[in-house]
C-alpha cells in the first residue's frame, strides 16, 4: 500500500483491538488517556520492529523489546497500522509535553518507564485526531516470527 520509499510510522496495538478498529474503519485517539486526565492522543512510532511502550501487559517488565513483543503476541496478539509520516502533522514527545499541559511528574514517569523498557523517545509521534482507514497505508499482524500484511 505504501506508495513511496519512506518507511511508515506505526500505531502498535493488541490484535484484539484491531478487530474493532478495522470494523469501524477508524483509528481513534485514546479514551484511556482522557480517563486518566491526560490529553487524548493517538500515538505512533518510527520503530520498524516494535514499540515497547505498546506492550499492554507487563509494561516495564522487559528490557529487551523482542521479549515484550513476544509477550504481547502470546497474551493479546500484536498488530499495527502504518501511515506515511509526511501525510500528517505529527508532533514528537518534547512538543507533546509542552502542548498537553499534563502533569510534568506523570510525563517524567512515563518517559522513564518507556526508556527502561527499551523505547526511544525520538521514535514517538503524536496526533490529536482520528485517522480514517482511507489514510492507512498498511495493516499488519505479528505471527510470532514476523509482521504479515492483513489480507484486504
Amino acid at each position: 500500500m505504501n506508495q513511496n520509499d519512506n518507511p511508515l510510522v506505526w500505531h502498535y496495538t493488541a490484535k484484539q483491538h484491531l478487530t474493532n478498529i478495522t470494523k469501524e474503519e477508524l483509528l481513534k485517539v485514546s479514551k484511556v488517556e482522557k480517563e486518566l486526565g491526560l490529553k487524548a492522543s493517538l500515538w505512533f512510532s518510527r520503530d520498524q520492529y516494535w514499540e515497547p511502550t505498546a506492550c499492554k501487559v507487563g509494561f516495564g517488565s522487559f528490557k529487551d523489546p523482542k521479549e515484550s513483543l513476544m509477550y504481547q503476541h502470546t497474551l493479546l496478539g500484536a498488530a499495527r497500522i502504518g501511515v506515511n509520516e509526511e501525510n500528517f502533522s505529527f508532533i514528537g514527545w518534547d512538543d507533546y509535553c509542552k502542548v498537553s499541559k499534563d502533569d510534568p511528574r506523570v510525563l517524567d514517569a512515563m518517559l522513564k518507564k518507556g526508556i527502561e523498557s527499551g523505547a526511544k523517545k525520538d521514535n514517538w509521534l503524536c496526533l490529536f485526531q482520528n485517522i480514517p482507514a482511507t489514510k492507512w497505508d498498511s495493516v499488519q499482524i505479528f505471527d510470532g516470527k514476523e509482521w504479515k500484511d492483513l489480507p484486504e
Side-chain angles (χ1 to χ4, degrees):
M1 287 187 199
N2 189 13
Q3 304 301 326
N4 64 35
D5 294 333
N6 295 334
L8 299 178
V9 294
W10 299 96
H11 175 79
Y12 290 92
T13 190
K15 186 177 176 183
Q16 63 188 27
H17 297 310
L18 187 64
T19 303
N20 288 337
I21 294 168
T22 55
K23 184 186 233 181
E24 293 179 6
E25 297 184 343
L26 189 64
L27 194 51
K28 297 178 184 177
V29 296
S30 172
K31 285 191 256 182
V32 173
E33 288 177 350
K34 193 171 187 176
E35 290 167 2
L36 293 173
L38 302 170
K39 184 164 179 69
S41 46
L42 183 57
W43 288 95
F44 284 77
S45 177
R46 289 185 179 114
D47 195 306
Q48 298 299 303
Y49 179 72
W50 168 247
E51 173 54 51
T53 60
C55 188
K56 303 301 182 202
V57 281
F59 175 65
S61 302
F62 305 98
K63 302 285 186 239
D64 180 355
K66 290 177 184 171
E67 287 180 19
S68 69
L69 173 56
M70 289 309 297
Y71 193 70
Q72 172 92 7
H73 166 69
T74 302
L75 292 180
L76 302 173
R80 64 186 188 176
I81 296 172
V83 299
N84 185 324
E85 183 176 347
E86 295 176 356
N87 293 339
F88 298 93
S89 298
F90 285 106
I91 62 170
W93 174 256
D94 293 336
D95 288 334
Y96 171 82
C97 291
K98 291 174 190 168
V99 302
S100 72
K101 302 201 180 7
D102 294 338
D103 184 331
R105 293 170 298 180
V106 172
L107 295 171
D108 288 344
M110 290 168 63
L111 176 61
K112 182 180 178 193
K113 203 63 149 161
I115 290 170
E116 286 173 0
S117 71
K120 297 175 177 71
K121 76 170 186 161
D122 291 341
N123 284 337
W124 302 340
L125 299 168
C126 176
L127 285 175
F128 301 114
Q129 67 189 53
N130 299 332
I131 300 179
T134 56
K135 305 265 183 175
W136 304 346
D137 291 299
S138 182
V139 179
Q140 297 183 338
I141 302 286
F142 187 72
D143 70 0
K145 294 182 182 173
E146 62 185 349
W147 290 99
K148 301 273 189 173
D149 290 329
L150 190 68
E152 293 186 36

